[in-house]
Amino acid sequence: MNLDTKKIRNNIIKTLKDSGGGHYGSSLSCVEIIAALYSSVLEETEGQDYKFENWGYIPLTKNKFILSKAHASLALYAVLSERGIIDEVILKTYGKTRSCLGVHAERDVVPMVEFSCGSLGHGLSYAVGLALAYKIKGKDNKVFVLLGDGECQEGSVWEAIRFASEQNLDNLIVIIDYNKFGISTNTYDDRFGYKWSSFDCETTWVNGHNIKEIKTAFNIKPVERPLVIIAETVKGKGLKKLEGKKESHFFKGDIQ
Amino acid sequence: MRNTLAQTIYETAKEDERIIVLVGDVGVCVFEKFKKDFPERFYNMGLSEANMITVACGLADQGFIPFVYGITPHITMRAYEQIRNDVCYNNCNVKIVGMGAGLHYSNQGFTHQGIEDIAILNPLPNITIFSPCSPFEMKQVVNSSIKVNNPVYIRMGRNNGEPFEKYYGKDCHFEIGKGVLIENGKDASIIATGGCVQDALDASEELKKDGIFTKVINISTIKPFDEELDFDTKICVTVEEHNIIGGLGSCVAERYCGKMNFRKLGIERYKTFCGTYQDLKKLYGIDKDSIIRTIKEMYYEKD
């Protein structure tokens, strides 16, 4: 399956503009990453379709995806819309009164959202818990989790990865949207990869806007340790004026 | 009480494969038997409370029932945001046990005293909060925790000891959300929880010599709190190993204070003081003598 990333990007920009602005930068930098997930490793389903209130029957993916950088939820919604799970009409309600599509995706409200995140630094631990559960049960399901690079400043992220590599969780794949900006900090770090490999993870770098490269990385089979994919991205990719700028993190008003 | 906790969890785990134990590098010896017999279900996560709590959420969502065990202030406060967002808001079936709640750790000082846990956890959604006062109650609490399909916090304080069972007698019973009347009297009510229940009973016994007869009510479920406590006395005193703000006293006051002459005994104005458990209770005015003094003051007060 191939998803139209240009269309997804335009939908994100249009929807944010309509809702009065928001997290342009963070949502636009991870479009290819999320599109790659939903057109490869998250295609296979498992068990019976789940009856989701107001949404009908939704398939349960065999592999799990946690969007830990949940302020980029619009990117997830836009990809799910392209996948035909969220209708375009509903996508347009993003961020508006009584919409089910909030800024930070909520599970039990939006299909295919495994866990409600928002405060950064929590999602990796949850993914570790899932991965550990699969190991205990002897199942071969995988867990993918997407973090922001600013999010990696949180100590709890390192608590989680220390435990994950200690437990040899080779069914855990950590993807980092390395767009080199936090809210107002510059997160560029030429030792970033070493930090992860020093916690005993199989670490690899990809061009975060090349879907083929990302999908190839998903197939890496690390030996008894987690896989970390550092995706080099551009914050606000697709914007005319604010592409690559930290101001794209959160913006209200005329973006183009 | 932690031996009863460990034993009950162990017995249940023999039949129920869903039970998992996570510890933050404390209590490993308490769960030795569990670790030996169920090695794939015991994890010492090391000193990382935040990670431990949220990992438990992932395990719970895959059908396991994780008991997360740590020292009260560390597990409830360092990882408070994780308890709030991940366990409670996401409604994950995680059972958190705070050991050494209250002043149990006595001479180890302020950093090891769990005396604000009720105040901070009470407002959170979906959570059941237990405060057992004896091994009998601890066993009931563990069984109840497994039966309910929502987050649970067990406030495990000092053991009141097996002799305490004599007060229950044949009518030993435990029900979630129900206070237990363990002594009856018409002049005053003492409502207590956890490690202060024994003090309340001892105070009640001694007050009889002065012709003051008190009710003693044991609150072993903080949340959901008993909305139908039956005490028709004019005087009421609550007592707890907890800050005077936001604990048992506040729970009672919120609901019942309009009806009577009411005073709370709890921990006010923290003091740096090295002492035994009993020393600290005396210092903070939550021991038997403080209860007696307070009741007498209120009883002999001219209207």
Side-chain angles (χ1 to χ4, degrees):
Chain A
M1 184 198 295
N2 280 320
L3 297 173
D4 185 349
T5 54
K6 197 162 175 198
K7 187 175 169 204
I8 292 169
R9 220 169 226 111
N10 283 337
N11 269 338
I12 292 172
I13 296 173
K14 203 167 55 160
T15 309
L16 272 174
K17 215 167 141 196
D18 277 345
S19 75
H23 295 97
Y24 284 96
S26 325
S27 306
L28 291 169
S29 59
C30 59
V31 168
E32 282 77 13
I33 297 168
I34 300 180
L37 286 161
Y38 278 95
S39 58
S40 63
V41 292
L42 297 178
E43 279 185 314
E44 195 183 340
T45 60
E46 187 178 62
Q48 284 191 315
D49 285 3
Y50 173 72
K51 184 150 188 243
F52 208 105
E53 203 181 314
N54 299 328
W55 294 88
Y57 283 92
I58 303 290
L60 292 172
T61 60
K62 178 180 173 180
N63 297 327
K64 301 292 177 200
F65 169 57
I66 313 303
L67 180 62
S68 188
K69 55 168 281 183
H71 51 285
S73 287
L74 179 54
L76 174 63
Y77 302 149
V79 168
L80 290 177
S81 177
E82 189 58 17
R83 267 274 307 250
I85 294 180
I86 296 180
D87 198 274
E88 268 190 32
V89 171
I90 298 184
L91 185 63
K92 284 194 171 84
T93 69
Y94 169 82
K96 299 196 174 124
T97 305
R98 277 194 279 276
S99 171
C100 56
L101 303 183
V103 171
H104 298 96
E106 307 256 1
R107 78 170 182 186
D108 300 334
V109 170
V110 183
M112 293 198 163
V113 175
E114 301 292 337
F115 199 61
S116 301
C117 298
S119 178
L120 302 171
H122 293 227
L124 180 57
S125 291
Y126 182 75
V128 168
L130 290 184
L132 183 64
Y134 287 132
K135 285 288 183 191
I136 297 173
K137 292 188 198 178
K139 295 179 79 173
D140 65 351
N141 307 52
K142 292 193 176 155
V143 185
F144 294 80
V145 57
L146 177 61
L147 270 58
D149 53 2
E151 181 173 6
C152 297
Q153 293 165 349
E154 287 284 355
S156 51
V157 166
W158 303 96
E159 284 185 19
I161 200 66
R162 185 203 66 80
F163 178 71
S165 60
E166 180 193 273
Q167 295 296 319
N168 304 322
L169 297 179
D170 52 16
N171 56 346
L172 175 71
I173 299 96
V174 184
I175 310 161
I176 300 162
D177 182 354
Y178 185 61
N179 62 25
K180 298 169 220 58
F181 289 104
I183 298 176
S184 50
T185 52
N186 188 329
T187 52
Y188 174 77
D189 177 7
D190 61 359
R191 310 290 295 173
F192 194 62
Y194 290 114
K195 289 184 164 80
W196 288 94
S197 54
S198 74
F199 273 73
D200 199 22
C201 297
E202 176 88 33
T203 310
T204 189
W205 289 78
V206 298
N207 174 350
H209 296 298
N210 183 321
I211 288 197
K212 210 167 153 193
E213 234 179 275
I214 299 169
K215 286 183 183 180
T216 308
F218 289 160
N219 290 326
I220 294 173
K221 284 183 175 38
V223 179
E224 289 185 348
R225 45 211 191 117
L227 173 64
V228 173
I229 303 172
I230 303 175
E232 289 219 64
T233 58
V234 175
K235 192 156 181 141
K237 185 163 177 76
L239 293 172
K240 289 191 194 127
K241 283 186 207 156
L242 293 183
E243 183 175 294
K245 296 200 163 73
K246 68 170 183 265
E247 287 78 11
S248 68
H249 178 85
F250 191 89
F251 190 88
K252 285 187 182 273
D254 187 12
I255 188 81
Q256 302 281 48
Chain B
M1 280 224 270
R2 54 188 176 182
N3 290 331
T4 309
L5 170 86
Q7 186 62 25
T8 314
I9 291 175
Y10 176 81
E11 294 297 326
T12 315
K14 281 202 280 195
E15 317 290 324
D16 194 339
E17 280 181 341
R18 301 171 299 167
I19 309 284
I20 280 191
V21 171
L22 305 179
V23 302
D25 207 24
V26 290
V28 181
C29 48
V30 174
F31 290 101
E32 217 170 293
K33 207 159 72 163
F34 187 101
K35 185 181 171 189
K36 184 163 159 286
D37 291 353
F38 313 115
E40 73 292 352
R41 291 197 263 154
F42 177 87
Y43 293 91
N44 182 352
M45 318 276 297
L47 292 172
S48 46
E49 291 81 6
N51 180 53
M52 182 164 67
I53 293 282
T54 311
V55 165
C57 293
L59 292 167
D61 283 348
Q62 281 293 311
F64 291 105
I65 301 179
F67 277 84
V68 185
Y69 182 85
I71 295 177
T72 302
H74 309 155
I75 201 170
T76 57
M77 291 173 178
R78 205 177 204 124
Y80 181 61
E81 202 193 40
Q82 280 72 13
I83 297 176
R84 174 186 186 267
N85 294 356
D86 305 335
V87 178
C88 292
Y89 186 71
N90 277 284
N91 201 15
C92 294
N93 197 24
V94 173
K95 320 295 175 187
I96 302 166
V97 180
M99 64 178 274
L103 300 171
H104 180 72
Y105 276 116
S106 57
N107 64 3
Q108 299 210 26
F110 182 70
T111 61
H112 281 60
Q113 290 163 9
I115 49 183
E116 300 95 359
D117 51 325
I118 297 175
I120 62 170
L121 295 178
N122 220 349
L124 299 181
N126 302 317
I127 194 167
T128 298
I129 301 174
F130 290 122
S131 173
C133 68
S134 69
F136 164 76
E137 280 203 330
M138 176 54 86
K139 187 170 175 186
Q140 308 301 314
V141 156
V142 173
N143 289 332
S144 301
S145 300
I146 295 168
K147 283 204 189 86
V148 298
N149 191 22
N150 56 259
V152 172
Y153 168 64
I154 301 173
R155 176 176 218 252
M156 186 170 77
R158 181 90 158 206
N159 180 9
N160 273 276
E162 293 297 346
F164 177 72
E165 302 327 292
K166 74 172 188 212
Y167 288 103
Y168 277 112
K170 276 182 267 161
D171 297 324
C172 258
H173 72 277
F174 175 85
E175 206 185 316
I176 300 180
K178 287 277 168 243
V180 180
L181 181 73
I182 46 179
E183 185 67 67
N184 215 337
K186 57 172 178 44
D187 300 316
S189 298
I190 310 171
I191 305 180
T193 191
C196 287
V197 176
Q198 188 66 62
D199 295 273
L201 283 169
D202 293 343
S204 176
E205 202 56 40
E206 221 174 283
L207 282 163
K208 284 179 186 167
K209 299 180 195 153
D210 286 286
I212 304 174
F213 295 90
T214 64
K215 278 187 161 69
V216 177
I217 298 176
N218 165 31
I219 298 290
S220 44
T221 311
I222 302 286
K223 185 169 186 169
F225 198 80
D226 193 340
E227 305 284 345
E228 290 165 4
L229 280 181
D230 181 22
F231 51 105
D232 47 5
T233 57
K234 283 214 194 85
I235 294 170
C236 175
V237 168
T238 62
V239 57
E240 58 196 300
E241 279 174 59
H242 186 277
N243 193 302
I244 203 161
I245 299 170
L248 173 70
S250 297
C251 291
V252 173
E254 273 169 18
R255 292 163 176 84
Y256 300 103
C257 74
K259 296 184 182 174
M260 70 211 77
N261 190 357
F262 177 83
R263 224 179 274 185
K264 296 186 286 186
L265 296 179
I267 298 170
E268 277 180 288
R269 292 183 289 275
Y270 297 156
K271 294 162 190 149
T272 305
F273 181 83
C274 179
T276 63
Y277 174 71
Q278 288 301 342
D279 287 338
L280 283 166
K281 287 184 89 169
K282 191 168 175 178
L283 177 76
Y284 283 124
I286 56 172
D287 65 336
K288 177 196 77 167
D289 291 333
S290 308
I291 300 171
I292 291 173
R293 195 172 45 245
T294 310
I295 296 258
K296 279 187 172 172
E297 262 170 36
M298 293 162 84
Y299 185 80
Y300 294 122
E301 226 169 39
K302 302 241 180 330
D303 282 313

